[in-house]
Amino acid sequence: MTTLRIKRITTELLDIPIKRPHQFSTEKVAVKSFVLIRMELSNGVVGIGEGTTPGIWWNGESVETMKLVIDRYAVPLLLEENPVYIEKLMQKLNRQIRANPFAKAIVEIALFDALGKMYDVPVHQLLGGLHLEKIPVRWALASGTPEGDIEEAIGHVGAGRYADFKTKSGKESPDDDALRNIRIAEGIRGRSSIGIDPNGSWDKVTVMKWMDAFFEAGIDFLEQPLPPEDIRGLAQLAAMKKVPIMADESLATVQDALRLAEEKAADIFSLKIHKSGGMKNTVRIAGIAQAAGISCFGGTSLESSIGTAACVHAYASIPNLDYGSELFGPDWLADDPVKNPLTIKDGSILVPDGPGLGVELDEEKVEKYRREEKGVLTR
Ligand SMILES: [Mg+2]
């Protein structure tokens, strides 16, 4: 029997429209861009993976940088290698390519998808087995006005679609943001609740000033209220023991997780498979959280059903996902490049049980949304 090898790896960019423009703290987006990877093994099995970022502002990577890092630097390190040595291959990438966790995660997803298909098991079985069959999903309210957000939240709760929500902040002044969020929380009180994500745009004094009001309004968590580097500030907010503090941008590597735990700077970790360089690192981070008594939340970079499936497999395999997830990407996009999109039902996303990621590419849609490369460096 000949040894199994990675024979071919290709990447392409897809631009998929979203249903409603989404306001982040720094920009508004109407189209979401993705890197799609295909990894073909010598036995004919093809693994797929996907990556996207909220924007280059988030951690410095974009779909264009991810594609370039994979094509030019990762592919030569992977071709002709045996894919069963996932850990060894990821360490090889880590040694030879510094940082770029989103690009590395895309590669890892394709490796796991290929092996899952080959062994005829879903990826969560390769990550240690299932803990949850479905994961609660929070929808992000981003209509632009408190009244619109209240109406949208109540509509979702009434229809049984989503039970809880998140808001984005950072576009207005911190004080105006705080007031807006309190209005939304009070407007849906008794029926639902919100967590607030200012993407690091608030300051400590403002948060301290509003903390009691947030607590009184029943706000579930404050996600990354301070800039990513301000670990001491997060620890001071967590020490107030009012609204739980969630770390998102402050948390990427396993070392970040350890530091946040040691400094008591977070009550909740927002996990994201791409920022941490893959599903396996994400499971490791959840282990550190578990040891430190920190809860986990299943974060998203708003992937399609491909990347979201990878998130679901990782998150469904960890025991301390106490705050559910925000895996609403497939519902937020106007289209999905797979034939069998993930199901979000009664406020929860179901874990796919097919081999690998459990999603199948729709080639017509890939063709439709593929970006024409103009003057972009390709192999
Ligand atoms: Mg966040």
Side-chain angles (χ1 to χ4, degrees), residues 325-342:
S325 78
E326 54 176 353
L327 294 174
F328 61 84
D331 196 12
W332 177 76
L333 290 166
D335 209 348
D336 210 332
V338 298
K339 288 180 180 166
N340 52 342
L342 299 187

Side-chain angles (χ1 to χ4, degrees), residues 24-25 58 166-170 181 195-202 221-225 248-249 272 326:
F24 285 94
S25 62
W58 203 87
K166 238 180 79 166
T167 61
K168 284 291 178 184
S169 292
N181 279 291
I196 307 175
D197 183 5
N199 287 110
S201 65
W202 287 357
F221 56 78
L222 294 179
E223 177 176 343
Q224 198 67 49
D248 184 7
E249 284 91 333
K272 283 180 183 164
E326 54 176 353

